[in-house]
Amino acid sequence: FYAGKSINPVSQGAAPHSTFNILASHSLLDPCSSGAGTVLSVPKDEPECSSNISSMVKEGHGSGNEDHKSFNQFDVVQDYSDHHYAKTSPGKTTKDWAKTIQNEWKLLQRDLPESIYVRVYEDRIDLIRAAIVGPAGTPYHDGLFFFDVCFPPEYPRCPPKVYYHSGGLRLNPNLYESGKVCLSLLNTWWGSGCEKWSKSNSTMLQVLISIQGLVLNDKPYFNEPGYKNTVNTPVGEKHSMAYNQTAFVLSCKTMLYSLRNPPKHFETLVVHHFHERERAILDACSAYASGIIVGSSVRDGAKYACDKCFAGFKKSLDAHTELLAKELAKNRAQAPELKGDTPAADEIASTSLGQT
């Protein structure tokens, strides 16, 4: 958890695979929480009157015709058929509701960090799909995590609904196999004051950055209920390291799931991202199987104190590394035009692990 550090969530200068740090008033993240006392202050634009929200956005981002060399962070697309909330009726909405969503689109279009990607839908402005790159220095590094969002008719009086594409895996205390995202900011966990959704101050951008920085953190074990009392204790840290091992294996499984079943409109991102990060991912698997602590920098050489600490983990990781290598090779074959436009494999590997 990134206590004591902060970022400006509207900054444009973040590196593509950097870890985003968010100011919190507590030393650890409560379970299923957006971060107690955490407020990401993102200014809201005054909404502009427009009869066609999507045309405003398309002027700056086109209509979603990406190739493998370029994937816009924000874009408007058409087909929402595989969206989790596709069959959920928008219900009775108002002009003010549409203006609020227009404001959200503009904020996302302007201020998304470089490692978060969003698609909105021209014919269903109540729906959003987002991809979040797992932060470096965590068991989620180099992974892609997908979320479907729905703005209810009451928005912004109540928070958006968010569904996580889990693939049936529970790799984080806040992200359920069912797709539930447990966050105070989404009112899916207890909280008070600035921990909860505010119709005046909270935004979709804040939700996405909170998921990346506060949920996908370096010690997710301490997100679990009741475990915060063991932070910085020998027992707590031992359990945390074991949890990170499991989380990394499940993150590898999630990579396999994404490579085999990329969400609609994100196929290009999946191909490009995993082509670029292939060597980094496989080098990480090799390093962790040799005893390097999950999330640590290979250059630091931090290893487990005894073989028993990672023997079972190594066996599981080796099996998934073999599967992952095969899928990444298939992915590489889908992106031949990228070979001359991405960094050399050894260059990628040298900058991949545990970089903060």
Side-chain angles (χ1 to χ4, degrees), residues 173-247:
N174 301 70
L175 304 176
Y176 286 57
E177 298 98 320
S178 65
K180 179 181 179 179
V181 178
C182 209
L183 278 173
S184 296
L185 186 58
L186 296 176
N187 292 350
T188 51
W189 186 253
W190 59 267
S192 61
C194 59
E195 300 169 29
K196 303 285 283 185
W197 179 265
S198 165
K199 66 178 181 180
S200 302
N201 299 315
S202 301
T203 66
M204 192 62 229
L205 176 63
Q206 180 186 9
V207 170
L208 294 176
I209 294 177
S210 294
I211 292 173
Q212 185 180 55
L214 297 173
V215 173
L216 301 173
N217 65 56
D218 60 341
K219 294 184 178 181
Y221 171 79
F222 297 113
N223 294 13
E224 288 279 10
Y227 292 168
K228 63 181 180 180
N229 294 329
T230 65
V231 69
N232 293 326
T233 68
V235 171
E237 293 303 317
K238 179 181 178 180
H239 290 164
S240 178
M241 285 195 296
Y243 191 99
N244 279 7
Q245 292 173 347
T246 301

Side-chain angles (χ1 to χ4, degrees), residues 1 67 118-119 131 133 158 186 190 194 200 203 227 229 301 333 342 350:
F1 181 66
D67 58 33
V118 166
R119 292 296 177 265
V133 179
C158 64
L186 296 176
W190 59 267
C194 59
S200 302
T203 66
Y227 292 168
N229 294 329
T342 55
S350 68

